[in-house]
Amino acid sequence: MDAKIFVQILEIAFNKKVSDVHFETDNPPFFRGKGQIIRSKLPNLTASDTEFIASQIMAHNNRRWEADQKEFDTSFSLPTGARFRVSIFRQRGSFGIIMRVIPANIGTFEELRLPPVLGEIAKAPNGLILVTGPTGNGKSTTLASMLRYINENFSYNCITIEDPIEFLFTSQKSCIIQREVGIDTGSFSTALRAALRMDPDLIMVGEMRDTATIDACLMAAETGHLVLSTLHTQGAVSTINRIVGHFPPDAQEIVRHRLADILVATVSIRLVKDRTGEFILPAVEIMRATTTIQSCIREGRLDEIEGHMENSRSQYQMQTLDQHLIQLHEQELITMEDAKRLSHSMDLERKLMFTN
């Protein structure tokens, strides 16, 4: 492995629009395309090859691998403009590297097939908007699309705090400042405290990873700012439980009240193949914090939230994941098997019969 071959592999990945490239010792490079892992026909990588790749990426970021270090997240870019989010780790004594391809362009809601109600949600002057879902299901892309909409339509001072920076923004109507944890700031929580002194209208936090960051996000929203962030949760109810559960039991009631006061919406994303297997579609749950939903959060009646979402589709453009899966199936875009696989409930077929 040398620098030329490494760059060629990344250029192929970017041009072929695969989602990820895997480099692991004793295997050839793997690609993920259309949701499937694809084994390349390249030679198996040696421990020296993966160490070389890791060193190239670290040098690109002016960093060195420390003797006691076990993993490192960063970004990598090529002179052509291709960008990647990178995870470097140790496995069986050698290096492993997984590189997520970052699309060159930030898609609009229409291009990404996201519900147009996201534009209405993004118009909130303040509060907390959360994009959730499992790893690799489009949270960062959805968040970037919302920020693009804001950048094109509002005159805001926007500060992003990311680890690492993924999509690069050019200021349009809004002024956008992008800070990377580890390079521009020490941590999410430190950067959030600093952001409050930087005249922000909007603060975008790449991920709410710990209690300090969650508390800082709540405080920023409480003081009149619009805060956007992500969580690795499956839906609205699990998102609320995750946030509240980060705090000690004696503080959880107060946190529920705080969250009810500032939550604007949760947007939960799952990706699913279309019937042809050629395209990936988002299945989206939307919960907006109406007065009824706020009461459910304050009083801990979270088991009632999904029912309110189901009944508020026409008035507030909310929808459960099952409702959207049924819609995609009725439009003959996805199979029943895939819809059932992603559904949170065991009776999706019964729901489908009920809607017909």
Side-chain angles (χ1 to χ4, degrees), residues 43 53 79 82 110 150 169-170 179 185 194 211 229 248 275 300 344 348:
I53 293 169
E110 183 178 7
I150 290 166
F169 285 89
T170 300
R179 307 190 70 202
T185 183
T211 306
S229 191
R275 282 182 177 270
H344 293 161
L348 187 72

Side-chain angles (χ1 to χ4, degrees), residues 109 118 121-122 129 131 142-150 228:
F109 300 144
L118 294 190
I121 291 170
I129 299 171
V131 179
T142 302
L143 204 59
S145 184
M146 296 181 78
L147 192 53
R148 170 183 171 163
Y149 178 85
I150 290 166
L228 281 68

Side-chain angles (χ1 to χ4, degrees), residues 76-216:
F76 188 79
S77 59
L78 299 177
T80 56
R83 284 179 53 77
F84 304 83
R85 186 180 73 198
V86 186
S87 176
I88 305 174
F89 51 90
R90 301 284 294 185
Q91 60 111 15
R92 294 187 299 173
S94 61
F95 285 99
I97 303 99
I98 297 178
M99 304 184 70
R100 166 65 54 87
V101 178
I102 300 173
N105 299 313
I106 301 167
T108 63
F109 300 144
E110 183 178 7
E111 290 167 346
L112 297 172
R113 305 191 69 141
L114 292 168
V117 69
L118 294 190
E120 293 297 317
I121 291 170
K123 290 178 182 178
N126 52 57
L128 179 65
I129 299 171
L130 296 173
V131 179
T132 78
T135 300
N137 274 256
K139 295 188 298 297
S140 297
T141 302
T142 302
L143 204 59
S145 184
M146 296 181 78
L147 192 53
R148 170 183 171 163
Y149 178 85
I150 290 166
N151 191 24
E152 292 174 344
N153 291 281
F154 300 99
S155 300
Y156 285 176
N157 182 33
C158 305
I159 299 165
T160 79
I161 306 164
E162 303 171 71
D163 183 19
I165 290 173
E166 296 189 41
F167 295 92
L168 298 178
F169 285 89
T170 300
S171 297
Q172 297 181 28
K173 275 195 170 184
S174 290
C175 172
I176 299 186
I177 298 167
Q178 293 185 265
R179 307 190 70 202
E180 182 165 325
V181 174
I183 295 177
D184 305 310
T185 183
S187 67
F188 280 115
S189 55
T190 300
L192 267 163
R193 289 193 295 271
L196 294 176
R197 299 190 294 272
M198 295 166 64
D199 187 33
D201 297 295
L202 178 151
I203 303 171
M204 192 271 273
V205 180
E207 183 183 346
M208 297 204 305
R209 292 181 179 173
D210 52 47
T211 306
T213 302
I214 292 171
D215 191 50

Side-chain angles (χ1 to χ4, degrees), residues 191-299:
L192 267 163
R193 289 193 295 271
L196 294 176
R197 299 190 294 272
M198 295 166 64
D199 187 33
D201 297 295
L202 178 151
I203 303 171
M204 192 271 273
V205 180
E207 183 183 346
M208 297 204 305
R209 292 181 179 173
D210 52 47
T211 306
T213 302
I214 292 171
D215 191 50
C217 284
L218 295 179
M219 185 180 69
E222 287 167 337
T223 52
H225 305 94
L226 182 61
V227 179
L228 281 68
S229 191
T230 71
L231 275 172
H232 294 289
T233 49
Q234 299 273 357
V237 173
S238 61
T239 297
I240 296 164
N241 279 326
R242 175 73 61 82
I243 291 172
V244 173
H246 265 278
F247 293 85
D250 60 350
Q252 290 183 1
E253 183 176 356
I254 294 172
V255 173
R256 282 202 310 272
H257 281 259
R258 293 175 68 193
L259 188 58
D261 288 341
I262 53 93
L263 187 63
V264 174
T266 65
V267 180
S268 301
I269 311 287
R270 296 295 301 272
L271 297 182
V272 57
K273 282 186 180 181
D274 75 344
R275 282 182 177 270
T276 68
E278 292 296 311
F279 301 99
I280 301 292
L281 305 175
V284 188
E285 177 196 275
I286 304 284
M287 186 200 76
R288 304 179 72 178
T290 62
T291 53
T292 302
I293 297 288
Q294 288 175 322
S295 295
C296 289
I297 296 172
R298 284 193 191 95
E299 297 167 17

